[in-house]
């Protein structure tokens, strides 16, 4: 006997987002075996679950290319002595995954988790043991001794050979992507965001190891020199890109390097003194904020490829609220249609998931968000829980109330 999970799903009477034209097209969406089987005027198979989507706008499931889903976004997590046990953090991670999915995010790339909880979460969501998004996990990032992220979301390595070994060991542990740290950052005490970290030779070694194993590489890179080192080394994406100069932008365009700006992270940190964020972090957040937004705007104007990433898990940057990044990307230069693509199709391209998800196309995974407002008219609707009529992940309607036809 078939169940809701394995029978066809028909989303009837709505309008679906056509990525190439950046418009909505009236029509049905039929999902079979977790895939989009038909678009347009569709006759439902017998026994299909049908949901009336009249008046709704159907978009691809959102993709967040930079999360730390095991973290809650609570400022207290940065306070010494507040780190929970592994068992409790695992339980919270599962709750964060559910909240993320409910917010319309059906795919994430997790760029660092203590104890590699992100790899375990990826396995659990794939097996259906935890309800959450598809997870592309790096395990732990790789940083220099004393570098940004050390002791929590990153392991330390020094010299090309140690970096190679660290990348190999993360892949052995199950990492589907790799993260390298090319500069300092905001949240690590005593580390200056303007300072480079790994040398170009160290970064190149890490990229070579990842590339031969068919993994993409994300580089935490805020300083100008760190950005250039990472781009020359061949990383897939620059995360943050706070101090991009003209040469760095030209290098990224020449090599096709993506920028994942994570505008949301410094915005909350810089304004979070009253929330209990440590003073050192607030000061550094304030130091980077204006330059960060300006760099992003220059990169857009020049034609750098972009994809959405929130750095969710940083203070006040909570699971399920990820879509606020698409709004900030639009507020600072993207059209609503382009911002939607940055959070869907372009993000899938970066993660090399374009043959799996990111667009509403026959044969791709049926990852869909149902909206009762038009995001091309008001991109902010993505951030309003009341605007989300439903979420479909792999052809299964989360919390479905549909009937059978």
């Amino acid at each position: 006997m078939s169940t809701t999970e394995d029978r066809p799903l028909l989303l009837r009477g709505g309008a679906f987002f056509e990525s190439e034209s950046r418009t909505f097209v009236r029509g049905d969406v039929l999902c079979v075996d977790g895939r989009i089987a038909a678009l347009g005027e569709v006759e439902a198979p017998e026994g299909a679950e049908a949901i009336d989507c009249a008046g709704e706008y159907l978009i691809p499931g959102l993709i967040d290319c930079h999360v730390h889903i095991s973290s809650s976004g609570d400022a207290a997590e940065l306070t010494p002595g507040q780190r929970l046990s592994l068992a409790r953090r695992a339980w919270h991670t599962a709750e964060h995954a559910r909240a993320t999915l409910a917010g319309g995010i059906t795919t994430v790339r997790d760029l660092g988790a203590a104890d590699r909880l992100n790899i375990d979460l990826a396995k659990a969501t794939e097996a259906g043991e935890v309800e959450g998004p598809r997870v592309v996990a790096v395990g732990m990032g790789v940083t220099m001794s004393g570098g940004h992220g050390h002791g929590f979301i990153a392991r330390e390595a020094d010299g090309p050979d140690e970096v190679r070994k660290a990348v190999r060991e993360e892949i052995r542990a199950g990492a589907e992507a790799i993260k390298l740290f090319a500069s300092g950052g905001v949240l690590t005490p005593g580390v200056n965001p303007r300072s480079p970290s790994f040398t170009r030779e160290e970064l190149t070694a890490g990229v070579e190891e990842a590339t031969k194993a068919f993994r993409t590489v994300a580089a935490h890179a805020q300083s100008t020199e760190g950005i250039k080192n990472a781009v020359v080394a061949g990383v897939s994406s620059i995360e943050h890109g706070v101090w991009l100069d003209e040469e760095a932008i030209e290098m990224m365009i020449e090599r096709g390097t993506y920028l994942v700006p994570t505008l949301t992270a410094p915005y909350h940190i810089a304004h979070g003194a009253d929330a209990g964020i440590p003073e050192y972090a607030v000061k550094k957040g304030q130091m980077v904020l204006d330059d960060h937004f300006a760099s992003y705007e220059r990169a857009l104007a020049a034609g750098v490829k972009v994809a959405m990433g929130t750095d969710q898990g940083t203070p006040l940057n909570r699971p399920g609220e990820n879509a606020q990044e698409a709004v900030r990307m639009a507020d600072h230069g993207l059209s609503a249609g382009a911002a939607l693509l940055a959070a869907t199709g372009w993000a899938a391209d970066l993660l090399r998931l374009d043959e799996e998800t990111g667009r509403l196309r026959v044969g791709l995974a049926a990852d869909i968000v149902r909206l009762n407002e038009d995001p091309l008219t008001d991109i902010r609707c993505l951030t309003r829980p009341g605007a989300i009529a439903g979420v479909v992940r792999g052809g299964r309607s989360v919390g479905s109330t549909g009937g059978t036809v």
Side-chain angles (χ1 to χ4, degrees):
M1 181 177 177
S2 67
T3 67
T4 299
E5 284 75 9
D6 59 21
R7 72 181 194 236
L9 173 67
L10 178 65
L11 304 178
R12 176 185 285 163
F16 59 87
F17 185 66
E18 208 291 308
S19 297
E20 297 305 316
S21 63
R22 304 185 192 181
T23 58
F24 281 96
V25 178
R26 293 288 171 189
D28 308 325
V29 181
L30 178 64
C31 312
V32 178
D33 295 330
R35 301 274 162 180
I36 297 173
L39 295 162
E41 195 170 330
V42 178
E43 185 172 340
E46 184 177 353
E49 178 189 4
I51 298 178
D52 182 5
C53 297
E56 294 181 1
Y57 299 85
L58 310 181
I59 64 171
L62 301 178
I63 300 173
D64 191 333
C65 295
H66 191 137
V67 305
H68 302 282
I69 205 167
S70 59
S71 298
S72 68
D74 187 341
E77 285 184 319
L78 298 177
T79 304
Q82 291 300 307
R83 189 173 177 186
L84 300 175
S85 68
L86 174 60
R88 289 181 66 189
R89 282 187 285 120
W91 183 84
H92 285 298
T93 297
E95 292 299 310
H96 299 164
R98 294 184 185 97
T100 299
L101 183 60
I105 297 85
T106 58
T107 300
V108 299
R109 180 177 60 172
D110 190 299
L111 290 181
D115 302 296
R116 300 189 182 92
L117 279 175
N118 48 12
I119 291 177
D120 286 310
L121 178 65
K123 294 175 181 177
T125 56
E126 179 67 21
E129 298 164 355
V130 171
E131 186 171 78
R134 175 187 296 100
V135 179
V136 179
V138 306
M140 298 189 76
V142 183
T143 192
M144 71 178 192
S145 289
H148 183 55
H150 77 274
F152 188 51
I153 62 169
R155 57 185 293 172
E156 294 167 302
D158 297 298
D161 288 343
E162 281 194 16
V163 173
R164 285 184 188 278
K165 183 175 182 180
V167 169
R168 289 173 178 174
E169 289 181 346
E170 291 308 308
I171 292 171
R172 181 180 65 188
E176 290 298 327
I178 295 297
K179 181 181 183 182
L180 303 174
F181 286 79
S183 80
V186 170
L187 292 178
T188 303
V191 172
N192 192 320
R194 288 188 179 274
S195 65
S197 54
F198 277 144
T199 65
R200 193 168 292 186
E201 292 72 24
E202 289 170 318
L203 290 165
T204 299
V207 171
E208 286 177 352
E209 287 304 313
T211 300
K212 75 181 188 183
F214 306 102
R215 266 62 169 184
T216 59
V217 181
H220 167 100
Q222 298 187 359
S223 76
T224 306
E225 184 178 348
I227 292 167
K228 292 176 184 178
N229 287 341
V231 173
V232 170
V235 301
S236 309
S237 62
I238 294 295
E239 309 296 308
H240 317 302
V242 174
W243 287 291
L244 289 163
D245 65 10
E246 184 176 338
E247 182 183 28
I249 289 171
E250 290 176 355
M251 291 166 64
M252 292 178 71
I253 293 172
E254 179 182 348
R255 291 166 174 78
T257 312
Y258 279 78
L259 174 64
V260 180
T262 69
L263 303 173
T264 293
Y267 175 84
H268 285 307
I269 294 168
H271 296 94
D274 293 341
I277 298 174
E279 183 180 3
Y280 77 86
V282 173
K283 286 182 176 179
K284 286 197 283 183
Q286 292 169 345
M287 177 179 76
V288 307
L289 186 62
D290 290 342
D291 289 344
H292 195 169
F293 278 88
S295 281
Y296 165 71
E297 291 168 1
R298 286 196 301 272
L300 277 190
V304 172
K305 296 192 287 188
V306 295
M308 187 185 86
T310 58
D311 210 359
Q312 174 271 313
T314 54
L316 311 181
N317 194 353
R318 300 182 177 91
E321 299 177 2
N322 312 58
Q324 62 184 303
E325 180 71 14
V327 174
R328 290 193 173 89
M329 295 179 81
D331 284 346
H332 290 269
L334 285 183
S335 67
L340 191 54
L341 277 169
T344 56
W346 297 347
D349 295 341
L350 165 60
L351 302 187
R352 298 181 188 168
L353 291 174
D354 51 301
E355 296 300 319
E356 175 66 20
T357 190
R359 294 171 175 88
L360 300 184
R361 181 180 296 165
V362 172
L364 296 190
D367 298 337
I368 303 166
V369 182
R370 298 165 43 215
L371 301 170
N372 53 37
E373 299 182 42
D374 181 354
L376 299 183
T377 300
D378 182 7
I379 192 70
R380 283 172 169 73
C381 75
L382 298 177
T383 67
R384 293 193 283 269
I388 299 178
V391 178
V392 175
R393 162 83 160 91
R396 185 178 67 84
S397 183
V398 179
S400 171
T401 58
T404 301
V405 296

